[in-house]
Amino acid sequence: MTFSLMLPLVLSGWLSLGRHGRLICDEQQKVLWHNDQLAQFLSATRAFRIDRDLITITGKKEQMAFQDFIRSGNADIVLWLKDENDRPLWALQIQRIMTPGVPTCFGIRFAQTDDFLAADFRHFETFFNLTKQEALICRRKLEGKTVQDIVEIEGKSFDTVRFHIRNIYRKVGVSSREELFANLRLFLFN
């Protein structure tokens, strides 16, 4: 890794010490750097592999979400690697690292779901980069409200509520209310 690439990464905090596995990769998913804790993560899961310095996420949906994120230009995303019973076991916090004059890289932090959510993380709205309206509608969905309920409670049009729900699903990386529940159920809602 060259010094010009190393300095922005150090400043961004991705090379900081910690007990969670971390790696830096490029847009082709080639590993540029990783810490020693990554080996522990790799030995504990079959859902993520590194073969010839290339990252592979074995779940097709999660791999596609990662590739979509790389192309999207979004700042960050969380992918959940699940067990055979569809329970989230591992959280991959992925952040786009952009510095002028340096190719775009991605920092990936690996944590067991319980550790990930127990850590001092931003509230879910900012974590998933939801707007205030999206966060409000997301909370209503998690309360079990239907689209029609939300329309009546919030005084929004049906199309507006559906628009926000599609954005929520895209940002959280899900395609149904059940998946939304699974991905957000461990966040604390006040």
Side-chain angles (χ1 to χ4, degrees), residues 91-122:
L92 276 59
Q93 178 191 16
I94 307 169
Q95 182 177 357
R96 184 177 305 274
I97 303 171
M98 297 184 345
T99 304
V102 177
T104 299
C105 296
F106 302 90
I108 303 177
R109 178 176 175 253
F110 305 87
Q112 287 185 311
T113 302
D114 294 340
D115 290 346
F116 178 79
L117 297 173
D120 191 21
F121 278 90
R122 298 171 285 171

Side-chain angles (χ1 to χ4, degrees), residues 133-141 150 161 164-165 168:
Q133 286 299 309
E134 290 167 349
L136 179 66
I137 290 171
C138 184
R139 285 179 184 273
R140 298 285 188 212
K141 290 291 284 179
I150 298 169
V161 172
H164 287 306
I165 291 170
I168 293 163

Side-chain angles (χ1 to χ4, degrees), residues 153-170:
I153 293 168
E154 300 301 328
K156 306 283 183 203
S157 74
F158 186 84
D159 290 336
T160 299
V161 172
R162 295 292 302 158
F163 172 79
H164 287 306
I165 291 170
R166 281 192 299 275
N167 285 341
I168 293 163
Y169 287 1
R170 179 181 50 80

Side-chain angles (χ1 to χ4, degrees), residues 64-132:
M64 286 177 51
F66 182 44
Q67 290 170 347
D68 288 346
F69 168 72
I70 288 173
R71 290 188 293 270
S72 73
N74 293 336
D76 56 24
I77 190 174
V78 174
L79 296 179
W80 302 94
L81 302 181
K82 300 175 182 178
D83 66 10
E84 57 277 353
N85 297 320
D86 207 34
R87 291 180 309 206
L89 291 180
W90 292 92
L92 276 59
Q93 178 191 16
I94 307 169
Q95 182 177 357
R96 184 177 305 274
I97 303 171
M98 297 184 345
T99 304
V102 177
T104 299
C105 296
F106 302 90
I108 303 177
R109 178 176 175 253
F110 305 87
Q112 287 185 311
T113 302
D114 294 340
D115 290 346
F116 178 79
L117 297 173
D120 191 21
F121 278 90
R122 298 171 285 171
H123 204 260
F124 84 97
E125 292 103 336
T126 55
F127 190 79
F128 291 105
N129 199 25
L130 300 178
T131 66
K132 288 182 181 183

Side-chain angles (χ1 to χ4, degrees), residues 61 82 168-176 179-180 183:
K61 182 177 173 185
K82 300 175 182 178
I168 293 163
Y169 287 1
R170 179 181 50 80
K171 289 179 179 182
V172 178
V174 299
S175 59
S176 69
E179 289 180 42
L180 181 68
N183 283 4

